[in-house]
Amino acid sequence: MKGLMKIARGPGNMELRDVDVPSPDRNEVLIEVAAAGICGSDVHIKHDTAFYTPPVILGHEYSGKVVEVGNDVQDIQVGDLVVSPATAYCGRCYHCKTGHMNRCTASDKKILGVSLANGAFAKYLTAPEYIIHKVPEGVSLEEAALAEPTACVVHGVTEKINICPGDTIVVQGPGTMGLISVQVAKAMGAGKVIVTGVSSDRWRLDIAERMGADVTIDVQTESDADSIIRDLTKGLGADVVIEASGACIACTQALRFVKVAGHICLIGVRGQPATIDLDPIIVKELTMTGTWGTLPSSWVTTLKLMETKKLSLSSLITHRIPLSDWEHGFDLMESQQAIKVLFTEL
Ligand SMILES: [Zn+2]
Ligand SMILES: [Zn+2]
């Protein structure tokens, strides 16, 4: 089979290579990949600006069908349609033992498509049974390939902060994570969802509106986003701001958009220090929450939301391309012409 591999450290160093079909260990299943999405972190790995251990086949957002199971596999069967998180947590370290498997610190921890385990940019991959979830009935495999980024949003937006019915939410950044945040916030009963972006985001802000955003604001041309948000909230400010843009200036804006005693949830990674004034956190008594990866519970919630059609993830898929066209797929992501690019012929 062909696998899209990061072969060595440094920028570039990506190749579509011939590799053997893997065979599952005793506790693993062999999965035939149906669809695999390019994540922003895959782009970072391409440019050597994220953690990874080469050589490794990339791809951690995927869905597929089980075609073989190891001897000790008990609940997953050949033919099951499945998804999984990337991280095969150890279950033994302090963080795993205290229920924070997303922060597992085991040095031999496998992260599919990133470190010590090949990922889904290939026809087949193996994964341990204990991280696998079955795709609910009625959910397409293309949609299921978006379960991983959705579970990350679900962890941040439903497990790390409180959204109450009727709340006004500002989502900064209409990329994949922001657009999923809009839908998850609505599913949690948010009243108004306001999405902010920059001028080059106009087409993605339009998609945000089609996905249920009540108001979108281009913060570059609209001189006073603050007063628009105040007008929409009886002068109070947003109950919750979800920062999904990764832009440094968005942190400063978030402190202005949020109400007194409101919450800011940081999802977007900046990759550089942001200069912000901490005083509003004190004088407005704000909470600012980080979120990283997923817990098993995030996946259970995500799959329930998908099964009950509370999310419309397929509208995020802007491109379906064969793996052989991977360079085009990465170009689309890097030039921000795509929301989600799926490899559907592997
Ligand atoms: Zn990802
Ligand atoms: Zn651990």
Side-chain angles (χ1 to χ4, degrees):
M1 66 175 187
K2 299 272 188 204
L4 179 57
M5 195 172 259
K6 177 83 183 187
I7 53 172
R9 291 207 178 276
N13 292 332
M14 303 252 297
E15 263 178 39
L16 199 57
R17 282 203 169 169
D18 282 310
V19 290
D20 292 336
V21 174
S23 67
D25 274 346
R26 300 183 70 85
N27 68 338
E28 286 182 337
V29 302
L30 179 68
I31 300 161
E32 182 179 355
V33 179
I38 305 178
C39 171
S41 65
D42 297 318
V43 176
H44 279 295
I45 291 173
K46 180 186 166 197
H47 293 292
D48 200 36
T49 49
F51 168 77
Y52 64 98
T53 313
V56 65
I57 296 174
L58 303 188
H60 59 272
E61 299 179 1
Y62 76 97
S63 62
K65 183 165 94 175
V66 173
V67 292
E68 192 184 333
V69 300
N71 286 339
D72 293 345
V73 169
Q74 295 189 337
D75 296 322
I76 300 291
Q77 296 173 349
V78 169
D80 283 345
L81 306 179
V82 296
V83 289
S84 85
T87 300
Y89 55 90
C90 78
R92 302 181 308 270
C93 73
Y94 173 82
H95 299 297
C96 283
K97 289 244 192 249
T98 52
H100 305 281
M101 299 82 155
N102 54 332
R103 302 301 311 164
C104 175
T105 50
S107 57
D108 59 348
K109 174 181 63 180
K110 292 181 176 177
I111 311 175
L112 303 180
V114 177
S115 179
L116 307 179
N118 281 326
F121 292 166
K123 195 168 174 58
Y124 298 97
L125 85 160
T126 55
E129 182 189 21
Y130 73 93
I131 65 166
I132 300 276
H133 296 266
K134 289 186 200 172
V135 176
E137 243 170 73
V139 174
S140 75
L141 284 172
E142 285 193 358
E143 204 171 350
L146 275 82
E148 198 273 343
T150 305
C152 292
V153 169
V154 163
H155 177 56
V157 172
T158 78
E159 297 179 331
K160 301 299 289 183
I161 56 169
N162 276 327
I163 290 181
C164 296
D167 272 357
T168 298
I169 314 292
V170 171
V171 176
Q172 297 173 294
T176 300
M177 304 303 259
L179 292 171
I180 295 174
S181 299
V182 171
Q183 299 188 37
V184 173
K186 280 278 175 175
M188 292 184 73
K192 287 189 205 99
V193 177
I194 302 159
V195 182
T196 65
V198 292
S199 298
S200 58
D201 286 327
R202 187 64 252 173
W203 68 281
R204 301 198 289 186
L205 291 172
D206 293 341
I207 291 176
E209 284 174 15
R210 290 204 292 279
M211 285 185 168
D214 299 279
V215 177
T216 58
I217 305 173
D218 172 347
V219 291
Q220 277 180 321
T221 59
E222 202 60 67
S223 55
D224 204 357
D226 303 27
S227 64
I228 297 174
I229 291 168
R230 271 199 306 277
D231 288 348
L232 290 165
T233 55
K234 300 193 175 80
L236 295 174
D239 298 287
V240 172
V241 177
I242 299 168
E243 202 308 278
S245 75
C248 291
I249 192 170
C251 296
T252 298
Q253 291 165 344
L255 295 170
R256 293 202 310 265
F257 295 163
V258 73
K259 73 173 187 183
V260 167
H263 305 283
I264 298 171
C265 179
L266 298 176
I267 291 182
V269 173
R270 260 141 288 277
Q272 57 178 312
T275 304
I276 63 163
D277 180 3
L278 295 176
D279 287 351
I281 299 176
I282 299 169
V283 299
K284 289 173 83 173
E285 297 195 322
L286 304 176
T287 52
M288 200 178 234
T289 307
T291 171
W292 189 253
T294 64
L295 297 175
S297 53
S298 329
W299 283 79
V300 172
T301 302
T302 296
L303 295 169
K304 272 195 253 180
L305 286 170
M306 292 170 77
E307 183 174 18
T308 54
K309 306 294 176 201
K310 300 289 187 208
L311 308 176
S312 156
L313 299 176
S314 47
S315 35
L316 293 168
I317 304 166
T318 51
H319 299 80
R320 296 164 176 84
I321 61 174
L323 183 62
S324 53
D325 256 355
W326 68 270
E327 283 169 301
H328 177 53
F330 274 72
D331 285 347
L332 287 166
M333 289 294 291
E334 287 171 51
S335 56
Q336 299 201 332
Q337 294 174 66
I339 294 174
K340 186 54 69 182
V341 179
L342 284 189
F343 295 125
T344 49
E345 292 163 46
L346 298 121

